[in-house]
Amino acid sequence: MQLAQVREATVPRKDGAKTVLRTLADRTGETAHVTVLSGTTLYGLCECESPHHGTRAVIDINTFPLHATASGLCALAFGPSNLHAIALGSLEEFTANTPTTEAKLTQLIEVVRETGISHSDQCYEIEIQGIAAPIFDHTGHLAGAVAVACVASRFTPELAHTIKTELLIAARDITHNWGGTIPRPIEQSWAKTLTKMTKQETAS
């Protein structure tokens, strides 16, 4: 936490994320939040709950399990390689959907790398769907993730499309505010993901 506080004192990351989060929460109608990676730990930085619904996801944790949250999966997919061993050393089962084997976790990470977006389907909390996208800073390395936590009963294909579309906008904006640039391979993955979603929407 001390490292996170020092980083926050020298780089006003909250200020670079809060406005973006408010827009993201308003456009999706769900809770938006940002995490930052410090060492091998993923810390919560700030969050914004949407006023659109009386029932909404509440972010009440300070550190995010790498294997069980959408933000954590982003860190495993795009962060330092040593995070994988850290995650495998603590595969705590939070729900029946939590990946608790190396094979299952690896499978999820591969999907994140392919799409550029992570999805935690009630892996940390029952009735909560999490979707996240990576964010970067001036170093060119992963700085954390921006995510939307959605009440599962409201999670539809249409809402998933909206969340993913708005997440990518938010990830680019926060990355820009933090002096970074989204890596080209991730931008390419995002473009393919959006194209695929649009084709599926048209076909349906």
Side-chain angles (χ1 to χ4, degrees), residues 39 45 72 100-101 110-111 141 146 167 173 176 193-194:
L45 179 67
T100 56
T101 66
E110 288 176 351
V111 172
H141 299 299
V146 56
L167 261 180
D173 287 346
H176 174 76
T193 298
L194 290 180

Side-chain angles (χ1 to χ4, degrees), residues 51-136:
H52 292 216
H53 302 284
T55 303
R56 50 187 179 263
V58 176
I59 308 301
D60 58 358
I61 56 175
N62 294 320
T63 59
F64 288 68
L66 295 173
H67 70 295
T69 61
S71 298
L73 292 174
C74 267
L76 289 173
F78 304 114
S81 58
N82 66 327
L83 293 182
H84 192 72
I86 298 294
L88 291 179
S90 182
L91 294 177
E92 181 178 352
E93 183 176 359
F94 296 101
T95 74
N97 288 0
T98 306
T100 56
T101 66
E102 182 176 3
K104 181 60 177 176
L105 183 60
T106 299
Q107 181 182 25
L108 290 176
I109 293 171
E110 288 176 351
V111 172
V112 179
R113 287 175 177 158
E114 179 182 350
T115 62
I117 302 170
S118 63
H119 182 192
S120 173
D121 181 2
Q122 304 179 75
C123 294
Y124 182 68
E125 290 183 274
I126 294 296
E127 292 303 319
I128 298 296
Q129 298 272 356
I131 302 179
I135 47 182
F136 298 81

Side-chain angles (χ1 to χ4, degrees), residues 154-171:
R154 288 197 295 269
F155 195 73
T156 63
E158 292 76 19
L159 180 56
H161 187 290
T162 298
I163 289 174
K164 291 176 182 179
T165 301
E166 296 299 333
L167 261 180
L168 302 193
I169 296 172

Side-chain angles (χ1 to χ4, degrees), residues 25 30 40 47 111 132 149-150 156 158 165 177 186 194 197-198 201:
E30 303 295 339
T40 59
E47 66 280 331
V111 172
C150 173
T156 63
E158 292 76 19
T165 301
N177 291 346
I186 294 179
L194 290 180
M197 287 193 301
T198 301
E201 195 172 67

